[in-house]
Amino acid sequence: MEHMKGCHLKRFFPALAWGVSCIFFLLVILFICYEYIDYRSLCNIGVVDDGIDELHTTLLSVGAGALACLFVIACVGLVGALRSLKVRPLKTEPVDAASVHSDLDAALQDLQIDKSGRCLVYRQVVISLSPRVTLFLDVLVRKENHVLSPEELNGLFYEGYYDGTESGHSRVRNIKYKVHIALQDTPFDVVRDASGNLCLVLKS
């Protein structure tokens, strides 16, 4: 879900641009129509010569027609952009869980968490960590299934770190984000599964 949010935001901008264009062209067309009505009233009382009247009428008609065409194009673009926002279900292929877990364990052989030095070492890459991220990764890497539930964070950090409230959820999202940043130069990442657990995975 968190990954989809970023994708949807980026896909929203074309629809917004087309929508603004539609509104702009519509307002300009309405303004021209209003001015044309006022202009015709001046012509009717003889303020404007007939020759100038015909020229102005032609220019206004051409301008309004061009803007109407642009308005239609913008509407078509808006409809297309809105259709592209629809979320299509992804086709999933069966995954061998044992194979995935084996690949993760093999890759973890090159990863070390230095608790005393508060850093992560992956091959030749050394990344400084905060004390909380160091503790989190140390426990997550050493766990057999490399999964931590939000409730386990209470024993890992302090009681009440995750209490089911919005503040608790926010703290879990915060630690996940910090770990994600710490792992960005490695092939690992931390994601949340369907149950909300924090899982160490290999980047696809």
Short mmCIF file of all heavy atoms in Angstrom, two decimals, residues 68-112:
data_model
loop_
_atom_site.label_atom_id
_atom_site.label_comp_id
_atom_site.label_asym_id
_atom_site.label_seq_id
_atom_site.Cartn_x
_atom_site.Cartn_y
_atom_site.Cartn_z
N ALA A 68 -12.14 26.52 -28.48
CA ALA A 68 -13.07 25.40 -28.30
C ALA A 68 -12.38 24.08 -28.66
O ALA A 68 -12.57 23.06 -27.98
CB ALA A 68 -14.32 25.62 -29.15
N CYS A 69 -11.58 24.11 -29.75
CA CYS A 69 -10.85 22.90 -30.14
C CYS A 69 -9.85 22.50 -29.06
O CYS A 69 -9.72 21.31 -28.72
CB CYS A 69 -10.12 23.13 -31.47
SG CYS A 69 -11.22 23.30 -32.90
N LEU A 70 -9.14 23.48 -28.51
CA LEU A 70 -8.19 23.20 -27.44
C LEU A 70 -8.90 22.66 -26.20
O LEU A 70 -8.39 21.78 -25.50
CB LEU A 70 -7.40 24.47 -27.09
CG LEU A 70 -6.42 24.96 -28.15
CD1 LEU A 70 -5.82 26.29 -27.74
CD2 LEU A 70 -5.32 23.93 -28.39
N PHE A 71 -10.09 23.20 -25.94
CA PHE A 71 -10.87 22.72 -24.80
C PHE A 71 -11.26 21.25 -24.97
O PHE A 71 -11.17 20.46 -24.03
CB PHE A 71 -12.12 23.59 -24.64
CG PHE A 71 -13.07 23.11 -23.58
CD1 PHE A 71 -12.75 23.24 -22.23
CD2 PHE A 71 -14.28 22.51 -23.92
CE1 PHE A 71 -13.62 22.80 -21.24
CE2 PHE A 71 -15.16 22.07 -22.94
CZ PHE A 71 -14.82 22.21 -21.60
N VAL A 72 -11.67 20.89 -26.19
CA VAL A 72 -12.04 19.50 -26.46
C VAL A 72 -10.82 18.58 -26.30
O VAL A 72 -10.91 17.50 -25.71
CB VAL A 72 -12.63 19.36 -27.88
CG1 VAL A 72 -12.82 17.90 -28.25
CG2 VAL A 72 -13.97 20.10 -27.96
N ILE A 73 -9.66 19.03 -26.82
CA ILE A 73 -8.44 18.23 -26.69
C ILE A 73 -8.08 18.04 -25.22
O ILE A 73 -7.69 16.95 -24.78
CB ILE A 73 -7.28 18.92 -27.45
CG1 ILE A 73 -7.55 18.90 -28.96
CG2 ILE A 73 -5.95 18.23 -27.14
CD1 ILE A 73 -6.55 19.69 -29.77
N ALA A 74 -8.22 19.12 -24.44
CA ALA A 74 -7.91 19.03 -23.01
C ALA A 74 -8.86 18.07 -22.30
O ALA A 74 -8.46 17.32 -21.41
CB ALA A 74 -7.98 20.42 -22.37
N CYS A 75 -10.14 18.09 -22.70
CA CYS A 75 -11.12 17.16 -22.09
C CYS A 75 -10.77 15.71 -22.41
O CYS A 75 -10.85 14.84 -21.54
CB CYS A 75 -12.52 17.49 -22.59
SG CYS A 75 -13.21 19.03 -21.92
N VAL A 76 -10.37 15.47 -23.66
CA VAL A 76 -9.98 14.10 -24.05
C VAL A 76 -8.75 13.66 -23.26
O VAL A 76 -8.67 12.53 -22.77
CB VAL A 76 -9.70 14.03 -25.57
CG1 VAL A 76 -9.11 12.68 -25.95
CG2 VAL A 76 -10.98 14.29 -26.36
N GLY A 77 -7.78 14.59 -23.11
CA GLY A 77 -6.60 14.27 -22.33
C GLY A 77 -6.93 13.99 -20.87
O GLY A 77 -6.35 13.10 -20.25
N LEU A 78 -7.87 14.77 -20.33
CA LEU A 78 -8.27 14.56 -18.94
C LEU A 78 -8.93 13.20 -18.76
O LEU A 78 -8.62 12.48 -17.79
CB LEU A 78 -9.25 15.67 -18.52
CG LEU A 78 -9.86 15.54 -17.11
CD1 LEU A 78 -8.76 15.56 -16.06
CD2 LEU A 78 -10.87 16.66 -16.86
N VAL A 79 -9.81 12.82 -19.68
CA VAL A 79 -10.46 11.51 -19.60
C VAL A 79 -9.43 10.38 -19.67
O VAL A 79 -9.47 9.41 -18.91
CB VAL A 79 -11.51 11.35 -20.72
CG1 VAL A 79 -12.04 9.93 -20.75
CG2 VAL A 79 -12.66 12.33 -20.49
N GLY A 80 -8.47 10.53 -20.59
CA GLY A 80 -7.43 9.50 -20.71
C GLY A 80 -6.57 9.40 -19.47
O GLY A 80 -6.22 8.30 -19.02
N ALA A 81 -6.24 10.57 -18.88
CA ALA A 81 -5.42 10.56 -17.66
C ALA A 81 -6.16 9.94 -16.48
O ALA A 81 -5.59 9.22 -15.68
CB ALA A 81 -4.99 11.99 -17.32
N LEU A 82 -7.48 10.22 -16.39
CA LEU A 82 -8.28 9.64 -15.31
C LEU A 82 -8.40 8.13 -15.47
O LEU A 82 -8.38 7.39 -14.47
CB LEU A 82 -9.66 10.29 -15.28
CG LEU A 82 -9.71 11.76 -14.83
CD1 LEU A 82 -11.12 12.31 -14.96
CD2 LEU A 82 -9.22 11.89 -13.39
N ARG A 83 -8.52 7.67 -16.71
CA ARG A 83 -8.60 6.23 -16.92
C ARG A 83 -7.31 5.53 -16.52
O ARG A 83 -7.32 4.41 -16.01
CB ARG A 83 -8.91 5.94 -18.39
CG ARG A 83 -10.36 6.21 -18.78
CD ARG A 83 -10.60 5.86 -20.24
NE ARG A 83 -12.00 6.04 -20.61
CZ ARG A 83 -12.48 5.86 -21.83
NH1 ARG A 83 -11.65 5.50 -22.81
NH2 ARG A 83 -13.76 6.05 -22.08
N SER A 84 -6.18 6.21 -16.76
CA SER A 84 -4.89 5.60 -16.42
C SER A 84 -4.68 5.51 -14.92
O SER A 84 -3.80 4.78 -14.46
CB SER A 84 -3.74 6.42 -17.04
OG SER A 84 -3.62 7.68 -16.40
N LEU A 85 -5.48 6.26 -14.13
CA LEU A 85 -5.34 6.21 -12.68
C LEU A 85 -5.96 4.96 -12.09
O LEU A 85 -5.71 4.64 -10.92
CB LEU A 85 -6.00 7.45 -12.05
CG LEU A 85 -5.27 8.77 -12.26
CD1 LEU A 85 -6.09 9.90 -11.67
CD2 LEU A 85 -3.90 8.75 -11.62
N LYS A 86 -6.78 4.27 -12.86
CA LYS A 86 -7.43 3.07 -12.33
C LYS A 86 -6.36 2.03 -12.00
O LYS A 86 -5.46 1.77 -12.78
CB LYS A 86 -8.42 2.49 -13.35
CG LYS A 86 -9.62 3.40 -13.60
CD LYS A 86 -10.58 2.76 -14.57
CE LYS A 86 -11.81 3.65 -14.80
NZ LYS A 86 -12.75 3.05 -15.77
N VAL A 87 -6.47 1.45 -10.82
CA VAL A 87 -5.51 0.44 -10.37
C VAL A 87 -5.89 -0.91 -10.97
O VAL A 87 -7.00 -1.40 -10.78
CB VAL A 87 -5.49 0.34 -8.83
CG1 VAL A 87 -4.50 -0.73 -8.38
CG2 VAL A 87 -5.14 1.69 -8.24
N ARG A 88 -4.98 -1.47 -11.72
CA ARG A 88 -5.21 -2.78 -12.31
C ARG A 88 -4.54 -3.84 -11.45
O ARG A 88 -3.40 -3.67 -11.03
CB ARG A 88 -4.63 -2.84 -13.73
CG ARG A 88 -5.31 -1.85 -14.68
CD ARG A 88 -4.66 -1.90 -16.05
NE ARG A 88 -5.35 -1.02 -16.98
CZ ARG A 88 -5.11 0.26 -17.10
NH1 ARG A 88 -4.21 0.82 -16.34
NH2 ARG A 88 -5.78 1.00 -17.97
N PRO A 89 -5.24 -4.96 -11.18
CA PRO A 89 -4.63 -6.01 -10.37
C PRO A 89 -3.40 -6.59 -11.05
O PRO A 89 -3.40 -6.81 -12.26
CB PRO A 89 -5.75 -7.07 -10.25
CG PRO A 89 -6.65 -6.79 -11.41
CD PRO A 89 -6.57 -5.31 -11.67
N LEU A 90 -2.35 -6.79 -10.29
CA LEU A 90 -1.13 -7.35 -10.82
C LEU A 90 -1.23 -8.87 -10.92
O LEU A 90 -1.78 -9.53 -10.04
CB LEU A 90 0.06 -6.98 -9.91
CG LEU A 90 0.35 -5.48 -9.79
CD1 LEU A 90 1.48 -5.27 -8.79
CD2 LEU A 90 0.72 -4.89 -11.13
N LYS A 91 -0.71 -9.39 -11.99
CA LYS A 91 -0.67 -10.83 -12.15
C LYS A 91 0.49 -11.37 -11.33
O LYS A 91 1.63 -10.95 -11.49
CB LYS A 91 -0.50 -11.21 -13.62
CG LYS A 91 -1.68 -10.81 -14.50
CD LYS A 91 -1.46 -11.25 -15.93
CE LYS A 91 -2.64 -10.88 -16.81
NZ LYS A 91 -2.44 -11.30 -18.22
N THR A 92 0.18 -12.26 -10.45
CA THR A 92 1.22 -12.82 -9.59
C THR A 92 1.57 -14.22 -10.04
O THR A 92 0.72 -14.98 -10.51
CB THR A 92 0.74 -12.88 -8.13
OG1 THR A 92 -0.44 -13.67 -8.07
CG2 THR A 92 0.44 -11.48 -7.61
N GLU A 93 2.84 -14.54 -9.93
CA GLU A 93 3.31 -15.86 -10.26
C GLU A 93 3.64 -16.60 -8.98
O GLU A 93 4.07 -15.99 -7.99
CB GLU A 93 4.55 -15.77 -11.15
CG GLU A 93 4.28 -15.08 -12.49
CD GLU A 93 5.52 -15.01 -13.34
OE1 GLU A 93 6.58 -15.45 -12.84
OE2 GLU A 93 5.44 -14.53 -14.46
N PRO A 94 3.44 -17.90 -8.95
CA PRO A 94 3.77 -18.66 -7.75
C PRO A 94 5.24 -18.51 -7.38
O PRO A 94 6.12 -18.57 -8.24
CB PRO A 94 3.43 -20.11 -8.13
CG PRO A 94 3.39 -20.11 -9.63
CD PRO A 94 2.95 -18.75 -10.05
N VAL A 95 5.49 -18.29 -6.09
CA VAL A 95 6.85 -18.07 -5.61
C VAL A 95 7.22 -19.18 -4.65
O VAL A 95 6.44 -19.56 -3.77
CB VAL A 95 6.96 -16.70 -4.89
CG1 VAL A 95 8.37 -16.50 -4.35
CG2 VAL A 95 6.60 -15.59 -5.85
N ASP A 96 8.41 -19.71 -4.83
CA ASP A 96 8.92 -20.74 -3.94
C ASP A 96 9.45 -20.06 -2.69
O ASP A 96 10.53 -19.46 -2.71
CB ASP A 96 10.02 -21.53 -4.65
CG ASP A 96 10.48 -22.74 -3.84
OD1 ASP A 96 10.14 -22.80 -2.64
OD2 ASP A 96 11.19 -23.59 -4.40
N ALA A 97 8.69 -20.12 -1.59
CA ALA A 97 9.06 -19.43 -0.37
C ALA A 97 10.39 -19.94 0.17
O ALA A 97 11.22 -19.16 0.67
CB ALA A 97 7.97 -19.59 0.69
N ALA A 98 10.60 -21.24 0.07
CA ALA A 98 11.86 -21.81 0.58
C ALA A 98 13.05 -21.28 -0.20
O ALA A 98 14.11 -20.97 0.37
CB ALA A 98 11.80 -23.34 0.49
N SER A 99 12.88 -21.14 -1.53
CA SER A 99 13.96 -20.62 -2.36
C SER A 99 14.26 -19.17 -2.03
O SER A 99 15.42 -18.76 -1.95
CB SER A 99 13.58 -20.76 -3.84
OG SER A 99 14.57 -20.17 -4.66
N VAL A 100 13.19 -18.37 -1.84
CA VAL A 100 13.37 -16.96 -1.49
C VAL A 100 14.09 -16.83 -0.16
O VAL A 100 15.01 -16.01 0.00
CB VAL A 100 12.00 -16.24 -1.44
CG1 VAL A 100 12.17 -14.83 -0.89
CG2 VAL A 100 11.38 -16.21 -2.83
N HIS A 101 13.69 -17.62 0.82
CA HIS A 101 14.31 -17.57 2.14
C HIS A 101 15.77 -18.00 2.06
O HIS A 101 16.65 -17.43 2.73
CB HIS A 101 13.55 -18.47 3.11
CG HIS A 101 13.83 -18.19 4.55
ND1 HIS A 101 14.90 -18.75 5.21
CD2 HIS A 101 13.21 -17.39 5.44
CE1 HIS A 101 14.91 -18.32 6.46
NE2 HIS A 101 13.89 -17.50 6.62
N SER A 102 16.06 -18.99 1.22
CA SER A 102 17.43 -19.46 1.06
C SER A 102 18.31 -18.39 0.43
O SER A 102 19.46 -18.18 0.84
CB SER A 102 17.44 -20.72 0.19
OG SER A 102 18.76 -21.15 -0.05
N ASP A 103 17.76 -17.69 -0.58
CA ASP A 103 18.52 -16.60 -1.22
C ASP A 103 18.81 -15.48 -0.23
O ASP A 103 19.90 -14.89 -0.24
CB ASP A 103 17.73 -16.04 -2.41
CG ASP A 103 17.62 -17.06 -3.55
OD1 ASP A 103 18.42 -18.00 -3.57
OD2 ASP A 103 16.72 -16.89 -4.40
N LEU A 104 17.83 -15.17 0.63
CA LEU A 104 18.01 -14.12 1.63
C LEU A 104 19.10 -14.52 2.63
O LEU A 104 19.99 -13.71 2.95
CB LEU A 104 16.69 -13.86 2.35
CG LEU A 104 16.73 -12.84 3.50
CD1 LEU A 104 17.20 -11.48 2.99
CD2 LEU A 104 15.36 -12.72 4.16
N ASP A 105 19.06 -15.74 3.10
CA ASP A 105 20.08 -16.20 4.05
C ASP A 105 21.47 -16.18 3.43
O ASP A 105 22.46 -15.83 4.09
CB ASP A 105 19.75 -17.61 4.53
CG ASP A 105 18.59 -17.63 5.51
OD1 ASP A 105 18.36 -16.59 6.16
OD2 ASP A 105 17.92 -18.66 5.63
N ALA A 106 21.55 -16.54 2.15
CA ALA A 106 22.85 -16.52 1.47
C ALA A 106 23.38 -15.09 1.36
O ALA A 106 24.58 -14.84 1.58
CB ALA A 106 22.72 -17.15 0.08
N ALA A 107 22.50 -14.16 1.03
CA ALA A 107 22.93 -12.76 0.90
C ALA A 107 23.32 -12.16 2.25
O ALA A 107 24.21 -11.29 2.33
CB ALA A 107 21.82 -11.93 0.26
N LEU A 108 22.66 -12.62 3.31
CA LEU A 108 22.95 -12.10 4.65
C LEU A 108 24.34 -12.49 5.15
O LEU A 108 24.83 -11.93 6.14
CB LEU A 108 21.89 -12.57 5.64
CG LEU A 108 20.52 -11.89 5.54
CD1 LEU A 108 19.51 -12.57 6.46
CD2 LEU A 108 20.63 -10.41 5.87
N GLN A 109 24.99 -13.45 4.49
CA GLN A 109 26.34 -13.83 4.88
C GLN A 109 27.31 -12.67 4.72
O GLN A 109 28.34 -12.62 5.40
CB GLN A 109 26.80 -15.03 4.03
CG GLN A 109 25.95 -16.28 4.20
CD GLN A 109 25.93 -16.78 5.64
OE1 GLN A 109 26.96 -16.83 6.31
NE2 GLN A 109 24.74 -17.13 6.11
N ASP A 110 26.98 -11.73 3.83
CA ASP A 110 27.86 -10.58 3.59
C ASP A 110 27.45 -9.35 4.41
O ASP A 110 28.06 -8.29 4.26
CB ASP A 110 27.84 -10.20 2.10
CG ASP A 110 28.42 -11.30 1.23
OD1 ASP A 110 29.40 -11.94 1.66
OD2 ASP A 110 27.89 -11.51 0.12
N LEU A 111 26.43 -9.51 5.24
CA LEU A 111 25.94 -8.38 6.03
C LEU A 111 26.31 -8.55 7.50
O LEU A 111 26.11 -9.62 8.08
CB LEU A 111 24.42 -8.27 5.90
CG LEU A 111 23.74 -7.14 6.69
CD1 LEU A 111 24.13 -5.78 6.12
CD2 LEU A 111 22.23 -7.30 6.68
N GLN A 112 26.84 -7.51 8.09
CA GLN A 112 27.20 -7.52 9.51
C GLN A 112 26.63 -6.27 10.18
O GLN A 112 26.70 -5.17 9.62
CB GLN A 112 28.71 -7.56 9.71
CG GLN A 112 29.38 -8.81 9.18
CD GLN A 112 30.89 -8.79 9.38
OE1 GLN A 112 31.44 -7.79 9.83
NE2 GLN A 112 31.55 -9.89 9.05
#
